[in-house]
Amino acid sequence: MTAVLLALVAALGYGVSDFYGGVAARKVTALRVVIYSYPFSVLLVLLLLPFVDGTPDAASIGWGLAAGVASGVAVWWFYAALASGPMAVVSPLTAVLVAGVPVLVGLVIGERPGLLAFIGIAFALVAVLLVSRESPDAVTEEITGGRELRFTKKVALLTVGSGLAFGFMFVFLHQTAASSGLWPLLAQRGAATGVVWVTALSASQFKRLRGEPLRLACYIGVLDVIANIALLHAFHGSLLSLVSVIGSLYPAATVLLAMVLLGERVGRQQQVGMVLALVSVALIAAA
């Protein structure tokens, strides 16, 4: 039960972080936001290290670095896919891969959740697909200048690559040792920062933030640290497949906040997906 609650905290943290990221991205490019939020998260983890017991070991640091590279590459490819492809296809496909990859890896390495947990996982995968579905709106048309967005081969590769990278980030974090404390997380955030900085420099997006976007970047950094700490502890207390699938329900929190705070309309499919998300968590918790 504790691992399920921690995974829920992680999902909420990721979901609220994505909400703030979406708000900030309406003012500046998303890449400019993460080049601030990522190093800020590194600073936060450094401040927390003395207060959390843990001894770094080479294997856990290595897995943390791998998770950081995976998450940095995932963000890079995801934004590139959204820039050229239809969000209604890119977003749900990425989300399903994020949820599905750790489940498959868990089964391959010998995890065998009970029947209720299996049903909960199935419901969660459907929930992620439904909640992540979005339709292009006036804002999207304004950003793209009215050009048609197609799911080309390049967009497909970027989308699948992003989903796989996000999914394997969960797998890599699961491999870290509980005795290592927050050291793997420090390695993860540091490596991810390196990736997004290189990406921003190559895309000429390494520009200064001010005002509200800067404040939002700081909020995102705090939420990312909370989510990752919760996820790390959840992985150390339960199965990869169960924790990952709950953590991947983060789009539900993003959609709910957009509906409540921004007055955005939520489609029928998204509503069904949010209900299924609640059911899936209840089934996994009861297993």
Side-chain angles (χ1 to χ4, degrees), residues 92 95-96 99 120-133 245 248-249 251-252 269-281:
V96 168
I121 288 172
F123 278 17
L125 292 173
V126 176
V128 168
L129 175 63
L130 294 177
V131 171
S132 302
R133 289 191 63 82
V245 80
S248 66
L249 292 172
Q269 289 186 346
Q270 288 177 307
Q271 293 173 7
V272 173
M274 293 172 74
V275 172
L276 283 177
L278 294 175
V279 174
S280 69
V281 171

PDB file of all heavy atoms in Angstrom, residues 92 95-96 99 120-133 245 248-249 251-252 269-281:
ATOM      1  N   PRO A  92      -0.895  10.347 -26.929  1.00  0.00           N
ATOM      2  CA  PRO A  92      -1.333   9.056 -26.386  1.00  0.00           C
ATOM      3  C   PRO A  92      -0.390   7.904 -26.690  1.00  0.00           C
ATOM      4  O   PRO A  92      -0.221   7.013 -25.863  1.00  0.00           O
ATOM      5  CB  PRO A  92      -2.706   8.840 -27.046  1.00  0.00           C
ATOM      6  CG  PRO A  92      -2.713   9.713 -28.245  1.00  0.00           C
ATOM      7  CD  PRO A  92      -1.872  10.893 -27.884  1.00  0.00           C
ATOM      8  N   ALA A  95       2.439   8.101 -24.222  1.00  0.00           N
ATOM      9  CA  ALA A  95       1.987   7.741 -22.878  1.00  0.00           C
ATOM     10  C   ALA A  95       1.818   6.234 -22.710  1.00  0.00           C
ATOM     11  O   ALA A  95       2.170   5.670 -21.670  1.00  0.00           O
ATOM     12  CB  ALA A  95       0.667   8.455 -22.569  1.00  0.00           C
ATOM     13  N   VAL A  96       1.281   5.574 -23.735  1.00  0.00           N
ATOM     14  CA  VAL A  96       1.092   4.125 -23.648  1.00  0.00           C
ATOM     15  C   VAL A  96       2.436   3.402 -23.592  1.00  0.00           C
ATOM     16  O   VAL A  96       2.607   2.430 -22.850  1.00  0.00           O
ATOM     17  CB  VAL A  96       0.250   3.619 -24.843  1.00  0.00           C
ATOM     18  CG1 VAL A  96       0.286   2.101 -24.919  1.00  0.00           C
ATOM     19  CG2 VAL A  96      -1.189   4.091 -24.696  1.00  0.00           C
ATOM     20  N   ALA A  99       3.928   3.672 -20.147  1.00  0.00           N
ATOM     21  CA  ALA A  99       3.299   2.748 -19.207  1.00  0.00           C
ATOM     22  C   ALA A  99       3.600   1.294 -19.552  1.00  0.00           C
ATOM     23  O   ALA A  99       3.810   0.465 -18.660  1.00  0.00           O
ATOM     24  CB  ALA A  99       1.789   2.972 -19.204  1.00  0.00           C
ATOM     25  N   GLY A 120      -5.883  -4.396 -12.986  1.00  0.00           N
ATOM     26  CA  GLY A 120      -5.591  -2.983 -12.751  1.00  0.00           C
ATOM     27  C   GLY A 120      -4.608  -2.423 -13.753  1.00  0.00           C
ATOM     28  O   GLY A 120      -4.761  -1.289 -14.228  1.00  0.00           O
ATOM     29  N   ILE A 121      -3.586  -3.212 -14.100  1.00  0.00           N
ATOM     30  CA  ILE A 121      -2.610  -2.775 -15.101  1.00  0.00           C
ATOM     31  C   ILE A 121      -3.286  -2.568 -16.456  1.00  0.00           C
ATOM     32  O   ILE A 121      -3.031  -1.574 -17.151  1.00  0.00           O
ATOM     33  CB  ILE A 121      -1.470  -3.814 -15.219  1.00  0.00           C
ATOM     34  CG1 ILE A 121      -0.576  -3.775 -13.981  1.00  0.00           C
ATOM     35  CG2 ILE A 121      -0.629  -3.566 -16.473  1.00  0.00           C
ATOM     36  CD1 ILE A 121       0.458  -4.883 -13.930  1.00  0.00           C
ATOM     37  N   ALA A 122      -4.158  -3.501 -16.835  1.00  0.00           N
ATOM     38  CA  ALA A 122      -4.870  -3.387 -18.118  1.00  0.00           C
ATOM     39  C   ALA A 122      -5.728  -2.127 -18.139  1.00  0.00           C
ATOM     40  O   ALA A 122      -5.738  -1.372 -19.129  1.00  0.00           O
ATOM     41  CB  ALA A 122      -5.734  -4.627 -18.338  1.00  0.00           C
ATOM     42  N   PHE A 123      -6.455  -1.878 -17.038  1.00  0.00           N
ATOM     43  CA  PHE A 123      -7.282  -0.679 -16.959  1.00  0.00           C
ATOM     44  C   PHE A 123      -6.422   0.583 -17.030  1.00  0.00           C
ATOM     45  O   PHE A 123      -6.805   1.567 -17.665  1.00  0.00           O
ATOM     46  CB  PHE A 123      -8.083  -0.682 -15.653  1.00  0.00           C
ATOM     47  CG  PHE A 123      -9.337  -1.512 -15.702  1.00  0.00           C
ATOM     48  CD1 PHE A 123      -9.534  -2.466 -16.693  1.00  0.00           C
ATOM     49  CD2 PHE A 123     -10.327  -1.353 -14.755  1.00  0.00           C
ATOM     50  CE1 PHE A 123     -10.677  -3.231 -16.747  1.00  0.00           C
ATOM     51  CE2 PHE A 123     -11.494  -2.112 -14.792  1.00  0.00           C
ATOM     52  CZ  PHE A 123     -11.667  -3.054 -15.790  1.00  0.00           C
ATOM     53  N   ALA A 124      -5.261   0.542 -16.365  1.00  0.00           N
ATOM     54  CA  ALA A 124      -4.382   1.708 -16.348  1.00  0.00           C
ATOM     55  C   ALA A 124      -3.851   2.025 -17.741  1.00  0.00           C
ATOM     56  O   ALA A 124      -3.766   3.193 -18.135  1.00  0.00           O
ATOM     57  CB  ALA A 124      -3.220   1.481 -15.380  1.00  0.00           C
ATOM     58  N   LEU A 125      -3.486   0.990 -18.504  1.00  0.00           N
ATOM     59  CA  LEU A 125      -2.986   1.213 -19.861  1.00  0.00           C
ATOM     60  C   LEU A 125      -4.051   1.860 -20.739  1.00  0.00           C
ATOM     61  O   LEU A 125      -3.764   2.783 -21.518  1.00  0.00           O
ATOM     62  CB  LEU A 125      -2.529  -0.113 -20.475  1.00  0.00           C
ATOM     63  CG  LEU A 125      -1.281  -0.746 -19.847  1.00  0.00           C
ATOM     64  CD1 LEU A 125      -1.032  -2.129 -20.440  1.00  0.00           C
ATOM     65  CD2 LEU A 125      -0.067   0.147 -20.054  1.00  0.00           C
ATOM     66  N   VAL A 126      -5.292   1.390 -20.612  1.00  0.00           N
ATOM     67  CA  VAL A 126      -6.393   1.992 -21.378  1.00  0.00           C
ATOM     68  C   VAL A 126      -6.629   3.423 -20.896  1.00  0.00           C
ATOM     69  O   VAL A 126      -6.872   4.332 -21.703  1.00  0.00           O
ATOM     70  CB  VAL A 126      -7.674   1.152 -21.232  1.00  0.00           C
ATOM     71  CG1 VAL A 126      -8.833   1.842 -21.948  1.00  0.00           C
ATOM     72  CG2 VAL A 126      -7.461  -0.244 -21.793  1.00  0.00           C
ATOM     73  N   ALA A 127      -6.554   3.631 -19.572  1.00  0.00           N
ATOM     74  CA  ALA A 127      -6.772   4.965 -19.009  1.00  0.00           C
ATOM     75  C   ALA A 127      -5.754   5.964 -19.532  1.00  0.00           C
ATOM     76  O   ALA A 127      -6.102   7.093 -19.907  1.00  0.00           O
ATOM     77  CB  ALA A 127      -6.711   4.898 -17.484  1.00  0.00           C
ATOM     78  N   VAL A 128      -4.493   5.551 -19.578  1.00  0.00           N
ATOM     79  CA  VAL A 128      -3.432   6.432 -20.078  1.00  0.00           C
ATOM     80  C   VAL A 128      -3.703   6.813 -21.529  1.00  0.00           C
ATOM     81  O   VAL A 128      -3.556   7.976 -21.923  1.00  0.00           O
ATOM     82  CB  VAL A 128      -2.059   5.739 -19.949  1.00  0.00           C
ATOM     83  CG1 VAL A 128      -0.999   6.508 -20.714  1.00  0.00           C
ATOM     84  CG2 VAL A 128      -1.663   5.630 -18.488  1.00  0.00           C
ATOM     85  N   LEU A 129      -4.116   5.850 -22.324  1.00  0.00           N
ATOM     86  CA  LEU A 129      -4.414   6.107 -23.731  1.00  0.00           C
ATOM     87  C   LEU A 129      -5.544   7.121 -23.880  1.00  0.00           C
ATOM     88  O   LEU A 129      -5.448   8.075 -24.655  1.00  0.00           O
ATOM     89  CB  LEU A 129      -4.788   4.797 -24.430  1.00  0.00           C
ATOM     90  CG  LEU A 129      -5.254   4.902 -25.883  1.00  0.00           C
ATOM     91  CD1 LEU A 129      -4.146   5.455 -26.753  1.00  0.00           C
ATOM     92  CD2 LEU A 129      -5.719   3.552 -26.407  1.00  0.00           C
ATOM     93  N   LEU A 130      -6.631   6.926 -23.124  1.00  0.00           N
ATOM     94  CA  LEU A 130      -7.799   7.790 -23.251  1.00  0.00           C
ATOM     95  C   LEU A 130      -7.542   9.189 -22.703  1.00  0.00           C
ATOM     96  O   LEU A 130      -7.909  10.192 -23.331  1.00  0.00           O
ATOM     97  CB  LEU A 130      -8.994   7.167 -22.519  1.00  0.00           C
ATOM     98  CG  LEU A 130      -9.528   5.859 -23.107  1.00  0.00           C
ATOM     99  CD1 LEU A 130     -10.669   5.313 -22.251  1.00  0.00           C
ATOM    100  CD2 LEU A 130     -10.007   6.059 -24.540  1.00  0.00           C
ATOM    101  N   VAL A 131      -6.917   9.267 -21.541  1.00  0.00           N
ATOM    102  CA  VAL A 131      -6.686  10.570 -20.916  1.00  0.00           C
ATOM    103  C   VAL A 131      -5.729  11.420 -21.744  1.00  0.00           C
ATOM    104  O   VAL A 131      -5.854  12.646 -21.797  1.00  0.00           O
ATOM    105  CB  VAL A 131      -6.130  10.385 -19.485  1.00  0.00           C
ATOM    106  CG1 VAL A 131      -5.669  11.715 -18.908  1.00  0.00           C
ATOM    107  CG2 VAL A 131      -7.195   9.776 -18.591  1.00  0.00           C
ATOM    108  N   SER A 132      -4.787  10.770 -22.427  1.00  0.00           N
ATOM    109  CA  SER A 132      -3.771  11.506 -23.182  1.00  0.00           C
ATOM    110  C   SER A 132      -4.254  11.986 -24.542  1.00  0.00           C
ATOM    111  O   SER A 132      -3.553  12.756 -25.206  1.00  0.00           O
ATOM    112  CB  SER A 132      -2.525  10.623 -23.374  1.00  0.00           C
ATOM    113  OG  SER A 132      -2.007  10.208 -22.143  1.00  0.00           O
ATOM    114  N   ARG A 133      -5.416  11.522 -24.955  1.00  0.00           N
ATOM    115  CA  ARG A 133      -5.914  11.927 -26.264  1.00  0.00           C
ATOM    116  C   ARG A 133      -6.331  13.388 -26.247  1.00  0.00           C
ATOM    117  O   ARG A 133      -7.044  13.838 -25.378  1.00  0.00           O
ATOM    118  CB  ARG A 133      -7.104  11.062 -26.695  1.00  0.00           C
ATOM    119  CG  ARG A 133      -6.714   9.650 -27.055  1.00  0.00           C
ATOM    120  CD  ARG A 133      -7.866   8.928 -27.723  1.00  0.00           C
ATOM    121  NE  ARG A 133      -8.237   9.553 -28.990  1.00  0.00           N
ATOM    122  CZ  ARG A 133      -7.621   9.337 -30.149  1.00  0.00           C
ATOM    123  NH1 ARG A 133      -6.592   8.526 -30.198  1.00  0.00           N
ATOM    124  NH2 ARG A 133      -8.032   9.933 -31.243  1.00  0.00           N
ATOM    125  N   VAL A 245       3.173   1.611 -13.772  1.00  0.00           N
ATOM    126  CA  VAL A 245       1.886   1.847 -14.421  1.00  0.00           C
ATOM    127  C   VAL A 245       1.070   2.882 -13.657  1.00  0.00           C
ATOM    128  O   VAL A 245       0.328   3.663 -14.259  1.00  0.00           O
ATOM    129  CB  VAL A 245       1.107   0.519 -14.591  1.00  0.00           C
ATOM    130  CG1 VAL A 245       0.416   0.109 -13.305  1.00  0.00           C
ATOM    131  CG2 VAL A 245       0.094   0.629 -15.728  1.00  0.00           C
ATOM    132  N   SER A 248       2.638   6.298 -14.400  1.00  0.00           N
ATOM    133  CA  SER A 248       2.368   6.767 -15.762  1.00  0.00           C
ATOM    134  C   SER A 248       0.976   7.358 -15.924  1.00  0.00           C
ATOM    135  O   SER A 248       0.623   7.821 -17.018  1.00  0.00           O
ATOM    136  CB  SER A 248       2.548   5.607 -16.755  1.00  0.00           C
ATOM    137  OG  SER A 248       1.576   4.603 -16.540  1.00  0.00           O
ATOM    138  N   LEU A 249       0.184   7.376 -14.851  1.00  0.00           N
ATOM    139  CA  LEU A 249      -1.159   7.963 -14.911  1.00  0.00           C
ATOM    140  C   LEU A 249      -1.118   9.486 -14.757  1.00  0.00           C
ATOM    141  O   LEU A 249      -2.165  10.119 -14.628  1.00  0.00           O
ATOM    142  CB  LEU A 249      -2.049   7.360 -13.819  1.00  0.00           C
ATOM    143  CG  LEU A 249      -2.411   5.883 -13.982  1.00  0.00           C
ATOM    144  CD1 LEU A 249      -3.132   5.381 -12.735  1.00  0.00           C
ATOM    145  CD2 LEU A 249      -3.287   5.671 -15.215  1.00  0.00           C
ATOM    146  N   PRO A 251      -0.925  11.962 -16.773  1.00  0.00           N
ATOM    147  CA  PRO A 251      -1.735  12.848 -17.608  1.00  0.00           C
ATOM    148  C   PRO A 251      -3.107  13.170 -17.012  1.00  0.00           C
ATOM    149  O   PRO A 251      -3.686  14.213 -17.320  1.00  0.00           O
ATOM    150  CB  PRO A 251      -1.882  12.057 -18.917  1.00  0.00           C
ATOM    151  CG  PRO A 251      -0.683  11.175 -18.954  1.00  0.00           C
ATOM    152  CD  PRO A 251      -0.459  10.777 -17.530  1.00  0.00           C
ATOM    153  N   ALA A 252      -3.623  12.294 -16.161  1.00  0.00           N
ATOM    154  CA  ALA A 252      -4.934  12.544 -15.550  1.00  0.00           C
ATOM    155  C   ALA A 252      -4.888  13.799 -14.688  1.00  0.00           C
ATOM    156  O   ALA A 252      -5.833  14.606 -14.688  1.00  0.00           O
ATOM    157  CB  ALA A 252      -5.371  11.330 -14.723  1.00  0.00           C
ATOM    158  N   GLN A 269     -13.976  10.796 -23.929  1.00  0.00           N
ATOM    159  CA  GLN A 269     -12.948   9.758 -23.797  1.00  0.00           C
ATOM    160  C   GLN A 269     -12.023  10.049 -22.625  1.00  0.00           C
ATOM    161  O   GLN A 269     -11.640   9.134 -21.878  1.00  0.00           O
ATOM    162  CB  GLN A 269     -12.144   9.640 -25.092  1.00  0.00           C
ATOM    163  CG  GLN A 269     -12.922   9.028 -26.249  1.00  0.00           C
ATOM    164  CD  GLN A 269     -12.036   8.812 -27.465  1.00  0.00           C
ATOM    165  OE1 GLN A 269     -10.936   9.337 -27.547  1.00  0.00           O
ATOM    166  NE2 GLN A 269     -12.511   8.028 -28.408  1.00  0.00           N
ATOM    167  N   GLN A 270     -11.662  11.302 -22.450  1.00  0.00           N
ATOM    168  CA  GLN A 270     -10.796  11.655 -21.336  1.00  0.00           C
ATOM    169  C   GLN A 270     -11.501  11.436 -20.001  1.00  0.00           C
ATOM    170  O   GLN A 270     -10.887  11.003 -19.024  1.00  0.00           O
ATOM    171  CB  GLN A 270     -10.337  13.106 -21.459  1.00  0.00           C
ATOM    172  CG  GLN A 270      -9.318  13.326 -22.571  1.00  0.00           C
ATOM    173  CD  GLN A 270      -8.931  14.786 -22.705  1.00  0.00           C
ATOM    174  OE1 GLN A 270      -9.792  15.652 -22.830  1.00  0.00           O
ATOM    175  NE2 GLN A 270      -7.650  15.056 -22.682  1.00  0.00           N
ATOM    176  N   GLN A 271     -12.779  11.730 -19.948  1.00  0.00           N
ATOM    177  CA  GLN A 271     -13.548  11.496 -18.719  1.00  0.00           C
ATOM    178  C   GLN A 271     -13.571  10.013 -18.370  1.00  0.00           C
ATOM    179  O   GLN A 271     -13.367   9.627 -17.209  1.00  0.00           O
ATOM    180  CB  GLN A 271     -14.974  12.022 -18.887  1.00  0.00           C
ATOM    181  CG  GLN A 271     -15.063  13.536 -19.024  1.00  0.00           C
ATOM    182  CD  GLN A 271     -16.481  13.998 -19.353  1.00  0.00           C
ATOM    183  OE1 GLN A 271     -17.427  13.210 -19.350  1.00  0.00           O
ATOM    184  NE2 GLN A 271     -16.635  15.276 -19.635  1.00  0.00           N
ATOM    185  N   VAL A 272     -13.812   9.184 -19.371  1.00  0.00           N
ATOM    186  CA  VAL A 272     -13.802   7.731 -19.151  1.00  0.00           C
ATOM    187  C   VAL A 272     -12.422   7.285 -18.690  1.00  0.00           C
ATOM    188  O   VAL A 272     -12.281   6.449 -17.787  1.00  0.00           O
ATOM    189  CB  VAL A 272     -14.215   6.981 -20.435  1.00  0.00           C
ATOM    190  CG1 VAL A 272     -14.034   5.472 -20.267  1.00  0.00           C
ATOM    191  CG2 VAL A 272     -15.662   7.304 -20.793  1.00  0.00           C
ATOM    192  N   GLY A 273     -11.384   7.842 -19.305  1.00  0.00           N
ATOM    193  CA  GLY A 273     -10.020   7.493 -18.936  1.00  0.00           C
ATOM    194  C   GLY A 273      -9.705   7.838 -17.491  1.00  0.00           C
ATOM    195  O   GLY A 273      -9.033   7.070 -16.788  1.00  0.00           O
ATOM    196  N   MET A 274     -10.193   8.969 -17.009  1.00  0.00           N
ATOM    197  CA  MET A 274      -9.940   9.365 -15.622  1.00  0.00           C
ATOM    198  C   MET A 274     -10.649   8.438 -14.647  1.00  0.00           C
ATOM    199  O   MET A 274     -10.118   8.111 -13.577  1.00  0.00           O
ATOM    200  CB  MET A 274     -10.370  10.820 -15.420  1.00  0.00           C
ATOM    201  CG  MET A 274      -9.504  11.802 -16.196  1.00  0.00           C
ATOM    202  SD  MET A 274     -10.093  13.502 -16.183  1.00  0.00           S
ATOM    203  CE  MET A 274      -9.664  13.979 -14.519  1.00  0.00           C
ATOM    204  N   VAL A 275     -11.840   7.990 -15.001  1.00  0.00           N
ATOM    205  CA  VAL A 275     -12.552   7.020 -14.159  1.00  0.00           C
ATOM    206  C   VAL A 275     -11.795   5.692 -14.126  1.00  0.00           C
ATOM    207  O   VAL A 275     -11.617   5.078 -13.062  1.00  0.00           O
ATOM    208  CB  VAL A 275     -13.996   6.806 -14.660  1.00  0.00           C
ATOM    209  CG1 VAL A 275     -14.665   5.665 -13.904  1.00  0.00           C
ATOM    210  CG2 VAL A 275     -14.805   8.088 -14.517  1.00  0.00           C
ATOM    211  N   LEU A 276     -11.351   5.247 -15.293  1.00  0.00           N
ATOM    212  CA  LEU A 276     -10.581   4.002 -15.359  1.00  0.00           C
ATOM    213  C   LEU A 276      -9.274   4.110 -14.551  1.00  0.00           C
ATOM    214  O   LEU A 276      -8.832   3.125 -13.951  1.00  0.00           O
ATOM    215  CB  LEU A 276     -10.255   3.654 -16.808  1.00  0.00           C
ATOM    216  CG  LEU A 276     -11.382   3.046 -17.636  1.00  0.00           C
ATOM    217  CD1 LEU A 276     -10.927   2.819 -19.075  1.00  0.00           C
ATOM    218  CD2 LEU A 276     -11.856   1.740 -17.024  1.00  0.00           C
ATOM    219  N   ALA A 277      -8.674   5.291 -14.546  1.00  0.00           N
ATOM    220  CA  ALA A 277      -7.454   5.490 -13.781  1.00  0.00           C
ATOM    221  C   ALA A 277      -7.712   5.255 -12.290  1.00  0.00           C
ATOM    222  O   ALA A 277      -6.932   4.586 -11.607  1.00  0.00           O
ATOM    223  CB  ALA A 277      -6.907   6.894 -14.010  1.00  0.00           C
ATOM    224  N   LEU A 278      -8.814   5.792 -11.790  1.00  0.00           N
ATOM    225  CA  LEU A 278      -9.167   5.592 -10.385  1.00  0.00           C
ATOM    226  C   LEU A 278      -9.431   4.119 -10.086  1.00  0.00           C
ATOM    227  O   LEU A 278      -8.993   3.588  -9.060  1.00  0.00           O
ATOM    228  CB  LEU A 278     -10.399   6.432 -10.026  1.00  0.00           C
ATOM    229  CG  LEU A 278     -10.221   7.956 -10.072  1.00  0.00           C
ATOM    230  CD1 LEU A 278     -11.563   8.652  -9.822  1.00  0.00           C
ATOM    231  CD2 LEU A 278      -9.196   8.396  -9.038  1.00  0.00           C
ATOM    232  N   VAL A 279     -10.139   3.457 -10.991  1.00  0.00           N
ATOM    233  CA  VAL A 279     -10.438   2.039 -10.812  1.00  0.00           C
ATOM    234  C   VAL A 279      -9.147   1.216 -10.803  1.00  0.00           C
ATOM    235  O   VAL A 279      -8.981   0.294  -9.995  1.00  0.00           O
ATOM    236  CB  VAL A 279     -11.399   1.530 -11.907  1.00  0.00           C
ATOM    237  CG1 VAL A 279     -11.585   0.022 -11.805  1.00  0.00           C
ATOM    238  CG2 VAL A 279     -12.745   2.238 -11.789  1.00  0.00           C
ATOM    239  N   SER A 280      -8.237   1.537 -11.715  1.00  0.00           N
ATOM    240  CA  SER A 280      -6.984   0.780 -11.804  1.00  0.00           C
ATOM    241  C   SER A 280      -6.168   0.893 -10.536  1.00  0.00           C
ATOM    242  O   SER A 280      -5.595  -0.089 -10.051  1.00  0.00           O
ATOM    243  CB  SER A 280      -6.163   1.255 -13.016  1.00  0.00           C
ATOM    244  OG  SER A 280      -5.668   2.558 -12.815  1.00  0.00           O
ATOM    245  N   VAL A 281      -6.092   2.108  -9.982  1.00  0.00           N
ATOM    246  CA  VAL A 281      -5.338   2.308  -8.741  1.00  0.00           C
ATOM    247  C   VAL A 281      -5.972   1.505  -7.600  1.00  0.00           C
ATOM    248  O   VAL A 281      -5.272   0.877  -6.800  1.00  0.00           O
ATOM    249  CB  VAL A 281      -5.271   3.797  -8.380  1.00  0.00           C
ATOM    250  CG1 VAL A 281      -4.680   3.982  -6.990  1.00  0.00           C
ATOM    251  CG2 VAL A 281      -4.455   4.572  -9.408  1.00  0.00           C
TER     252      VAL A 281
END
